[in-house]
Amino acid sequence: MDMTRATPLTWSHTISHSLHLPTPLFTFQTRRFRVWCASHQSPKGNQMIVSVTGATGFIGRRLVQRLHADNHSVHVLTRSKSKAEEIFPVKDFPGIKIAGEPEWRDSIQGSTGVVNLAGLPISTRWSSEIKKEIKESRIRVTSKVVEFINSSPDDTQPKVFISATAVGYYGSSDTQVFDEQSPSGKDYLAEVCREWESTALRVNGDARVALIRIGVVLGKDGGALAKMVPLFMMFAGGPLGSGKQWFSWIHLDDIVNLIYEALLNPSYKGVINGTAPNPVRLSELCEQLGHVLGRPSWLPVPDFALKAVLGEGASVVLEGQRVLPTQAKKLGFPFKYSYVKDALKAILS
């Protein structure tokens, strides 16, 4: 199982113009203007400069692709320029700036917006050292980004800061329903999320801040499904543990679109849950996955086997939470995939 949920702890915007011009004199110019608008999704006046941490990760890659395709300027903030250059080669991504850590300050200053997705994945066996790094990797990068935003001169300070966090903020429960107003949990991941979010909220000035609490991200070539599909293909796929735990998921396209909309839309601020409207119990997810793949999903993976592999980290997959995207729905965000069955078909067909 992922843990893009862990990777955070772990993806339409319409503009209309009205021109009131004397028809006889300006007919030709008006036609030209209309044709230009129809052929460009992002008019020049609406182009952004976006700095992205965690750009080489599962969500970050797709976000960079989306921004680049819409003709926005992208600064990839990375600790490994060689890795970033391999993922975003110049021939495929002309104009993208790959910025090593010494260049982060200059890249952030003058950006329209900053998206913070960085953090050590948690889909591994936890030790005291790993747990410390899971937290510190998120706090360290977020603190640095906040420092650079805050130290920017007023005329070059980013206008919006989108910082990832995770649904682990709420703790776990088989019975409770969580939305953005729910209190934080008391376990280790909830503690990490609280500190992560409080660090992001230290941004000062006029920058708009949106905290996206991301669920388990489903998509091709990564995330939870990359770990689950091989089990099903070997006829060994089934629920992890009891299967009764809640699974708050979101399709990769939807989380990228949510982040993209948050960059553009001033109404997107504060905490926003990055989950689909219809979470499922893990047994239902496995049943739907088995159906799409034409494989059985009756053989459960017992608790003790997961704990043997992941240690304390098994709690990420043995416990869950039912999280609803109340704020995104209030804002009118158009989910492309509201039901896990449709998401799995789109990903695996």
Side-chain angles (χ1 to χ4, degrees):
M1 187 135 179
D2 183 70
M3 318 278 176
T4 303
R5 129 184 192 183
T7 316
L9 210 197
T10 13
W11 135 222
S12 82
H13 203 74
T14 304
I15 297 173
S16 61
H17 296 279
S18 297
L19 294 181
H20 303 284
L21 303 173
T23 304
L25 185 60
F26 290 95
T27 300
F28 178 65
Q29 290 87 339
T30 305
R31 284 200 191 105
R32 288 181 63 195
F33 179 80
R34 286 173 180 163
V35 170
W36 184 84
C37 278
S39 62
H40 290 73
Q41 290 186 350
S42 298
K44 187 173 182 179
N46 217 37
Q47 286 180 341
M48 298 181 291
I49 303 171
V50 183
S51 290
V52 184
T53 71
T56 60
F58 186 45
I59 300 172
R61 293 186 193 197
R62 185 67 66 89
L63 177 63
V64 170
Q65 291 168 2
R66 170 76 194 277
L67 290 166
H68 183 260
D70 284 357
N71 298 315
H72 299 293
S73 297
V74 182
H75 297 172
V76 171
L77 308 186
T78 181
R79 297 174 66 185
S80 174
K81 292 186 74 169
S82 59
K83 179 181 179 181
E85 288 164 353
E86 183 178 336
I87 293 171
F88 303 113
V90 174
K91 64 182 179 64
D92 297 326
F93 296 91
I96 282 184
K97 177 181 178 181
I98 309 292
E101 280 195 87
E103 304 166 279
W104 285 19
R105 184 189 298 272
D106 289 341
S107 293
I108 287 172
Q109 292 183 358
S111 291
T112 312
V114 179
V115 179
N116 178 35
L117 300 172
L120 181 75
I122 65 169
S123 53
T124 184
R125 185 177 180 86
W126 292 359
S127 63
S128 57
E129 292 79 13
I130 290 294
K131 288 177 68 174
K132 182 178 179 182
E133 181 59 19
I134 284 171
K135 180 192 288 188
E136 290 189 352
S137 64
R138 286 161 174 77
I139 305 304
R140 182 171 59 245
V141 172
T142 305
S143 294
K144 182 172 289 190
V145 170
V146 167
E147 175 193 342
F148 293 156
I149 292 174
N150 288 346
S151 63
S152 299
D154 290 346
D155 58 342
T156 64
Q157 186 181 53
K159 303 303 180 188
V160 56
F161 177 42
I162 313 297
S163 195
T165 173
V167 295
Y169 174 92
Y170 301 109
S172 59
S173 173
D174 287 340
T175 57
Q176 287 183 270
V177 179
F178 301 100
D179 67 11
E180 289 86 352
Q181 302 303 315
S182 300
S184 182
K186 298 179 180 179
D187 60 17
Y188 164 70
L189 294 184
E191 175 190 324
V192 172
C193 289
R194 285 195 303 273
E195 292 193 30
W196 196 4
E197 292 184 12
S198 65
T199 303
L201 289 172
R202 292 173 189 160
V203 165
N204 56 33
D206 296 326
R208 173 170 56 88
V209 180
L211 302 174
I212 313 292
R213 291 179 183 155
I214 302 176
V216 183
V217 180
L218 303 180
K220 292 181 181 179
D221 305 322
L225 291 182
K227 296 176 175 62
M228 297 177 73
V229 168
L231 292 174
F232 277 83
M233 300 308 288
M234 292 188 296
F235 293 89
L240 305 176
S242 69
K244 295 179 181 179
Q245 63 270 48
W246 283 99
F247 188 86
S248 293
W249 62 278
I250 188 167
H251 190 286
L252 181 59
D253 287 353
D254 278 331
I255 190 61
V256 165
N257 289 340
L258 183 66
I259 294 169
Y260 188 95
E261 186 69 14
L263 282 166
L264 290 167
N265 191 330
S267 297
Y268 283 62
K269 54 189 173 183
V271 175
I272 302 171
N273 286 334
T275 60
N278 298 287
V280 295
R281 293 193 185 272
L282 193 58
S283 57
E284 181 182 344
L285 172 81
C286 291
E287 181 181 344
Q288 294 289 354
L289 182 56
H291 179 72
V292 171
L293 292 173
R295 296 288 191 274
S297 63
W298 54 268
L299 183 63
V301 180
D303 293 16
F304 72 82
L306 284 167
K307 289 177 180 176
V309 174
L310 295 176
E312 189 181 350
S315 63
V316 175
V317 293
L318 293 174
E319 303 169 7
Q321 57 280 110
R322 186 182 183 187
V323 179
L324 300 181
T326 302
Q327 188 63 16
K329 292 180 74 174
K330 282 182 181 178
L331 289 164
F333 178 76
F335 286 94
K336 188 176 179 181
Y337 301 99
S338 293
Y339 297 94
V340 74
K341 181 179 179 180
D342 296 330
L344 293 174
K345 283 183 177 179
I347 293 165
L348 299 171
S349 62

